[in-house]
Amino acid sequence: MRILFVEDDPEQLEPLSTALSHTGHLVDGVQEGETAQWLMQEKTYDLLILDWMLPKVSGLELCTQCRQQGKNTPILLLTAKDTTADKVMGLDAGADDYLIKPVDVMELLARVRALGRRSPQWLGDQLHLHDLTLDLPSMKLKRGDRTLLLSRREYQFLEFFLRHPGQVITREQLELNLWEWDNQPESNAVSTQIRRLRRRLEEVGCADWLETIYGIGYRLQANS
């Protein structure tokens, strides 16, 4: 999933973002509500994780704005505010879940998985193309009797292609959807990742499934 994680405390933001990244998620981590407002307009996210008590624009305001704009993106509200009245206010503002600080990493990951299942983009724990399977929880690629553990980047690229089977994906779409907002890819980064993914697909006998559409981009489709 692509996640926007807004937390003004870097000692919370950095380790929790890293834990989410290690499980295959692409995380845009920001410390200011104003930056989050801009990103919520510019990008499409599968999940928002919002600290309530942010300076200037609070997580609660971000939550309310998101719902007023008609967006149904799942929202997890993080906060030290732990009274029943606080929880009611947060959920009534549009949050789907509410987690009290200090945050346990394992609980955060479990709640993220649960909220991911509510996303309109949820297609199950496995993505399939013909006899090729990507198991999302384990980040493993399976075909026949072959099973490969993918790297985080290989997994993110293959997941994106499997969510758009048969579609021509441009280099710009890959750069927009598979890099963090403040991490601009080098000019050859997409080509490098495509070569690595093709090598992994070759190991299960389907390297030619990932086509180059010259002058446009790439397409993943089964050739059987």
Side-chain angles (χ1 to χ4, degrees), residues 72-141:
N72 59 1
T73 309
I75 297 176
L76 171 59
L77 201 57
L78 298 185
T79 181
K81 297 168 74 70
D82 59 358
T83 69
T84 298
D86 293 329
K87 295 174 186 175
V88 170
M89 186 181 299
L91 294 170
D92 283 350
D96 296 278
D97 198 2
Y98 194 103
L99 188 57
I100 304 295
K101 295 182 179 181
V103 175
D104 181 275
V105 174
M106 296 303 293
E107 182 176 0
L108 173 67
L109 295 177
R111 288 179 185 252
V112 166
R113 289 194 296 273
L115 288 169
R117 291 194 286 271
R118 302 184 194 176
S119 169
Q121 285 75 42
W122 172 249
L123 297 174
D125 278 333
Q126 294 184 332
L127 300 179
H128 302 276
L129 180 61
H130 193 50
D131 58 351
L132 189 73
T133 298
L134 179 63
D135 185 75
L136 304 183
S138 67
M139 296 169 58
K140 289 181 178 177
L141 173 64

Side-chain angles (χ1 to χ4, degrees):
M1 289 192 293
R2 185 164 194 128
I3 299 172
L4 176 61
F5 188 3
V6 192
E7 166 62 73
D8 64 332
D9 181 358
E11 294 187 1
Q12 292 282 324
L13 178 63
E14 292 175 10
L16 294 177
S17 293
T18 299
L20 290 164
S21 296
H22 284 170
T23 54
H25 301 298
L26 190 65
V27 182
D28 286 338
V30 300
Q31 293 180 249
E32 309 86 17
E34 291 171 323
T35 304
Q37 277 181 315
W38 178 77
L39 283 171
M40 288 164 60
Q41 296 299 321
E42 294 295 316
K43 295 182 177 292
T44 300
Y45 291 98
D46 301 302
L47 173 65
L48 307 179
I49 302 177
L50 308 175
D51 179 26
W52 183 325
M53 300 176 70
L54 298 168
K56 297 184 179 178
V57 181
S58 73
L60 196 69
E61 290 176 272
L62 292 173
C63 184
T64 301
Q65 290 170 10
C66 181
R67 297 307 182 225
Q68 288 176 340
Q69 293 166 4
K71 297 179 180 178
N72 59 1
T73 309
I75 297 176
L76 171 59
L77 201 57
L78 298 185
T79 181
K81 297 168 74 70
D82 59 358
T83 69
T84 298
D86 293 329
K87 295 174 186 175
V88 170
M89 186 181 299
L91 294 170
D92 283 350
D96 296 278
D97 198 2
Y98 194 103
L99 188 57
I100 304 295
K101 295 182 179 181
V103 175
D104 181 275
V105 174
M106 296 303 293
E107 182 176 0
L108 173 67
L109 295 177
R111 288 179 185 252
V112 166
R113 289 194 296 273
L115 288 169
R117 291 194 286 271
R118 302 184 194 176
S119 169
Q121 285 75 42
W122 172 249
L123 297 174
D125 278 333
Q126 294 184 332
L127 300 179
H128 302 276
L129 180 61
H130 193 50
D131 58 351
L132 189 73
T133 298
L134 179 63
D135 185 75
L136 304 183
S138 67
M139 296 169 58
K140 289 181 178 177
L141 173 64
K142 302 177 181 178
R143 188 183 188 219
D145 59 356
R146 297 298 308 274
T147 299
L148 304 176
L149 177 61
L150 301 181
S151 71
R152 182 176 65 88
R153 291 303 275 160
E154 292 165 351
Y155 164 84
Q156 290 172 342
F157 266 70
L158 184 57
E159 181 192 17
F160 189 78
F161 277 110
L162 285 172
R163 291 190 184 281
H164 305 84
Q167 297 180 29
V168 177
I169 307 296
T170 67
R171 183 178 297 268
E172 291 73 22
Q173 286 175 302
L174 293 170
E175 291 178 349
L176 179 66
N177 287 282
L178 295 172
W179 268 264
E180 292 83 2
W181 73 282
D182 58 348
N183 181 17
Q184 296 301 311
E186 297 180 357
S187 59
N188 63 344
V190 168
S191 300
T192 299
Q193 294 299 332
I194 292 293
R195 282 198 301 273
R196 290 175 177 168
L197 181 55
R198 279 205 179 105
R199 282 201 293 269
R200 301 298 273 166
L201 290 169
E202 185 177 11
E203 293 181 55
V204 293
C206 46
D208 59 340
W209 288 20
L210 185 53
E211 300 176 277
T212 297
I213 310 299
Y214 290 100
I216 304 176
Y218 305 92
R219 176 172 56 198
L220 180 67
Q221 61 180 6
N223 293 328
S224 62

